[in-house]
Amino acid sequence: MALFSSSTRDLPQSTVVPRHLAVIMDGNGRWAKKRFLPRVAGHVKGVEALREVVRHCLGRGIRYLTVFAFSSENWRRPQDEVSLLMQLFVKALQQEVDSMNRNNVRLRIVGELSRFDPLLQSLVVEAEAKTATNTALDLTIAANYGGRWDIMQALNRLAVADPSRAGAWAEADLEPHLAMHFAPEPDLFIRTGGEERISNFLLWQLAYTEFYFTPTLWPDFDAAELDKAIASYQQRERRFGRTSEQLNGAGNA
């Protein structure tokens, strides 16, 4: 059974501050290039930006933060950059988890983790276990993740769990097997860096999410930039298929 309501079956309650924020942290490499620095310097700065955004989410009462750190397509990047990214991931887990634990942040990593080396996999297991009882903020890092992969792995799990109903499955049957089954659908999706696409991120979950695109490069995305995104969200009319009149109680058409 799904833990949270579905925006295509139910009418989710809209909140002034988004309960779940999803972010594509784009622009690290371009930030470094503008400063004549190696691309990895931008990724290092990006970790610092994420740390600040986590702090601000805690302060604003955002309950879930999901960030796209490494897509299943990012393996196509130059091998030296991929290797440096993996090293940075290891270092971040080694250095940040204690701080997350002190601040009551629960860390989860979703994606096809079997492709990562054993050290990284073990650090993921340790970090998730160490923060498992924390309740202030669920920080989910999508690593070697793709939205199509997510749907297919969920379908395969459902086929094993409930083969007798093949051909008669419903959305609610699939949802518990999705990588993000433990979180509500995102209320607000942010992509930094000026690109305006979702790049195979949370394809199932973003069905009725509000989108916010900004040219700000991720290393420059700070608390003030996050507040701009939240202010934009607060101006949206979230109808979920209904009309404005229905929302305002003025009609049923």
Side-chain angles (χ1 to χ4, degrees):
M1 177 179 292
L3 295 177
F4 296 95
S5 63
S6 163
S7 60
T8 55
R9 297 193 310 275
D10 310 306
L11 290 176
Q13 182 180 5
S14 294
T15 56
V16 175
V17 175
R19 181 167 57 160
H20 186 178
L21 180 65
V23 183
I24 292 183
M25 308 178 292
D26 199 10
N28 293 327
R30 281 172 285 157
W31 182 92
K33 186 177 180 180
K34 286 175 59 177
R35 291 159 176 78
F36 304 100
L37 297 170
R39 288 177 60 86
V40 69
H43 294 300
V44 171
K45 188 68 174 178
V47 173
E48 296 176 11
L50 177 57
R51 189 184 303 125
E52 180 172 357
V53 167
V54 167
R55 283 199 297 266
H56 198 51
C57 285
L58 286 165
R60 291 299 300 267
I62 293 171
R63 184 62 183 79
Y64 298 87
L65 172 63
T66 302
V67 298
F68 208 4
F70 191 84
S71 77
S72 50
E73 290 76 50
N74 284 155
W75 295 104
R76 301 168 182 170
R77 292 189 176 188
Q79 183 56 45
D80 59 343
E81 180 175 351
V82 171
S83 178
L84 288 169
L85 284 170
M86 293 301 108
Q87 293 174 35
L88 181 60
F89 197 3
V90 167
K91 185 176 180 181
L93 285 172
Q94 292 172 330
Q95 295 182 348
E96 302 293 336
V97 172
D98 285 342
S99 176
M100 291 181 196
N101 203 34
R102 287 194 300 271
N103 287 283
N104 200 20
V105 175
R106 179 170 187 171
L107 178 66
R108 303 181 198 247
I109 314 294
V110 298
E112 181 50 74
L113 304 184
S114 63
R115 189 166 178 181
F116 295 139
D117 68 44
L119 172 60
L120 183 50
Q121 291 185 50
S122 66
L123 287 171
V124 166
V125 171
E126 292 172 11
E128 290 186 334
K130 189 168 188 175
T131 63
T133 60
N134 294 338
T135 58
L137 174 70
D138 272 41
L139 170 62
T140 301
I141 297 176
N144 196 24
Y145 173 92
R148 291 184 177 181
W149 164 85
D150 191 4
I151 294 169
M152 290 307 303
Q153 66 86 27
L155 182 59
N156 287 330
R157 290 186 179 189
L158 177 58
V160 172
D162 194 6
S164 64
R165 292 185 59 242
W169 292 321
E171 286 184 24
D173 298 317
L174 185 68
E175 286 164 357
H177 300 283
L178 291 165
M180 294 293 299
H181 64 89
F182 53 83
E185 295 174 13
D187 300 294
L188 176 63
F189 163 84
I190 298 171
R191 181 165 186 158
T192 63
E195 303 290 355
E196 298 186 359
R197 57 178 177 269
I198 61 174
S199 297
N200 198 21
F201 184 42
L202 301 179
L203 296 180
W204 182 281
Q205 295 85 354
L206 294 178
Y208 269 98
T209 298
E210 302 296 329
F211 284 17
Y212 178 85
F213 299 104
T214 173
T216 302
L217 303 176
W218 175 249
D220 293 326
F221 192 86
D222 55 14
E225 291 291 333
L226 180 56
D227 280 339
K228 289 180 186 178
I230 294 173
S232 174
Y233 167 83
Q234 291 170 338
Q235 300 303 311
R236 312 289 178 89
E237 185 178 69
R238 306 198 72 196
R239 296 190 296 271
F240 300 105
R242 296 166 294 174
T243 65
S244 295
E245 289 78 12
Q246 284 176 296
L247 287 181
N248 297 323
N252 298 311

